[in-house]
């Protein structure tokens, strides 16, 4: 077993990237159903900076409890150091990756060690390294749960109806907005795996990258408005979402659907008149689904793009990179 302290990034107050502190803290101990992981890499995701900021844009009634000090982060890849006595199927030395404890913001992944429910984990694909594996969990599971299979019965905080992904096939046209980012680049590949026709929307610098991933059509949003170029689309996955998301409704054919990863304001009269639906969900930790993504990664059907890597101690610079936007793939923090 390791010594009883570790390095971790902690928040002692809410604010910009400068509030991320590199601290020495006790190594956590696994509770029943949990394992202790030696973290080799941790993925950086939007909820990490929402947590860092204190979630000022989230209405208080939807905001989870945010205690301080706190270790941010949810995505890890590493090696099991120890397992609770009741954990089956994982033991010391196993390489694993996972989205930890989400949608709670208690994943505590920006650290040298972390405890995790065994049910949140899957074995790391043998053919990819820890850095690439750490780029998968939140973004890959978001794409999977929106497009392929929800995989749980938890109600969404955003809608009453259960999200039911549209069946994708050779006759389906899918438009993906924000296609070069974490969720977007997995969504492009999963839609192509299902043989759909994919229209990728991103800035022009990402065109060759997205065509390599299989995009059939590319729209550079800096040169043309995608809602004026694309028509007769079955499904829009808007990974950007928010205020401007409703502009994509006019690209849809009747019976089509818009899946915003970040909900915006939509006019129910407009959606009814167009004969389209809006649906979404909130990604949740899911070890078995991650194992399915792992099989696709091992087979080479899916690949992980890494935008940039930073040592754990430089989490501030990683968050500054995220704030500049225009990512191609994922930002990952590296450990030992």
């Amino acid at each position: 077993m390791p010594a009883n302290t570790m390095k971790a990034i902690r928040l002692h107050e809410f604010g910009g990237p400068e509030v991320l502190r590199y601290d020495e803290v006790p190594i956590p101990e696994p509770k029943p159903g949990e394992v202790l992981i030696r973290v080799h890499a941790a993925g950086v995701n939007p909820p990490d900076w929402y947590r860092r900021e204190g979630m000022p844009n989230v209405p208080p009634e939807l905001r989870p409890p945010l205690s301080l000090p706190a270790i941010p982060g949810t995505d890890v890849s590493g090696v099991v150091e120890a397992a609770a006595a009741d954990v089956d199927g994982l033991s010391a030395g196993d390489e694993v990756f996972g989205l930890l404890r989400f949608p709670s913001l208690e994943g505590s992944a920006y650290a040298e060690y972390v405890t995790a429910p065994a049910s949140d984990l899957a074995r790391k694909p043998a053919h990819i390294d820890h850095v690439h594996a750490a780029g998968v969990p939140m973004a890959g599971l978001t794409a999977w749960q929106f497009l392929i299979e929800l995989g749980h019965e938890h109600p969404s905080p955003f809608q009453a109806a259960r999200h039911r992904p549209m069946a994708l096939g050779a006759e389906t046209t899918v438009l993906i907005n924000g296609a070069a980012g974490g969720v977007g680049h997995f969504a492009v590949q999963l839609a192509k795996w299902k043989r759909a026709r994919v229209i990728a929307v991103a800035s022009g610098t990402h065109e060759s990258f997205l065509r390599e991933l299989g995009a059939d059509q590319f729209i550079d949003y800096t040169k043309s408005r995608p809602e004026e170029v694309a028509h007769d689309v079955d499904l829009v996955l808007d990974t950007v979402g928010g205020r401007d998301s409703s502009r994509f409704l006019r690209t849809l054919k009747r019976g089509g659907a818009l899946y915003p990863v970040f909900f915006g304001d939509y006019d129910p009269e407009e959606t009814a008149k167009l004969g389209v639906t809006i649906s979404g969900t909130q990604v949740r930790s899911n070890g078995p689904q991650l194992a399915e993504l792992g099989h696709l990664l091992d087979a080479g059907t899916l690949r992980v793009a890494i935008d940039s890597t930073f040592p754990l101690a430089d989490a501030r610079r990683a968050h500054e990179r995220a704030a500049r936007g225009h990512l191609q793939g994922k930002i990952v923090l590296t450990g030992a």
Side-chain angles (χ1 to χ4, degrees), residues 8-9 15 29 44 68 71 76 102 135 143 165 174 184 216 242 294 303 316 324 329:
I9 295 292
E29 291 191 13
V44 174
L68 290 172
I71 300 172
V76 297
F102 203 80
V174 180
D216 300 284
R303 57 178 266 222
R316 172 181 176 167
R324 293 196 296 274

Side-chain angles (χ1 to χ4, degrees), residues 22-199:
Y22 192 51
D23 287 348
E24 189 150 319
V25 298
I27 291 175
E29 291 191 13
K31 296 183 174 69
E34 295 183 350
V35 299
L36 177 67
I37 299 166
R38 173 75 168 97
V39 179
H40 285 251
V44 174
N45 293 289
D48 304 352
W49 54 89
Y50 304 155
R51 175 79 170 89
R52 188 200 74 218
E53 294 165 347
M55 305 188 78
N57 300 328
V58 177
E61 67 275 11
L62 290 178
R63 202 179 293 159
L66 301 174
S67 56
L68 290 172
I71 300 172
T74 60
D75 277 9
V76 297
S77 183
V79 178
V80 174
E81 188 84 30
D86 62 342
V87 170
D88 289 327
L90 287 177
S91 53
D94 289 342
E95 294 189 318
V96 292
F97 69 140
L99 167 63
L100 308 188
R101 307 180 193 275
F102 203 80
S104 92
L105 294 173
E106 307 301 320
S108 303
Y110 287 15
E112 291 180 322
Y113 293 89
V114 67
T115 55
S119 58
D120 289 356
L121 302 171
R123 288 181 183 271
K124 181 186 79 64
H127 289 110
I128 64 172
D129 61 19
H130 286 292
V131 167
H132 286 79
V136 176
M138 178 173 284
L141 285 171
T142 300
W144 188 269
Q145 290 172 16
F146 269 78
L147 290 181
I148 307 297
E149 176 204 21
L150 183 61
H152 64 77
E153 297 294 335
H154 295 276
S156 164
F158 308 111
Q159 66 186 43
R162 187 171 186 265
H163 178 68
R164 297 183 187 281
M166 178 185 292
L168 303 180
E171 304 302 310
T172 321
T173 297
V174 180
L175 182 147
I176 297 164
N177 185 40
V183 176
H185 89 292
F186 288 124
V188 168
Q189 295 175 82
L190 289 173
K192 290 309 300 178
W193 173 56
K194 291 293 186 181
R195 306 194 325 282
R197 180 172 175 270
V198 172
I199 304 170

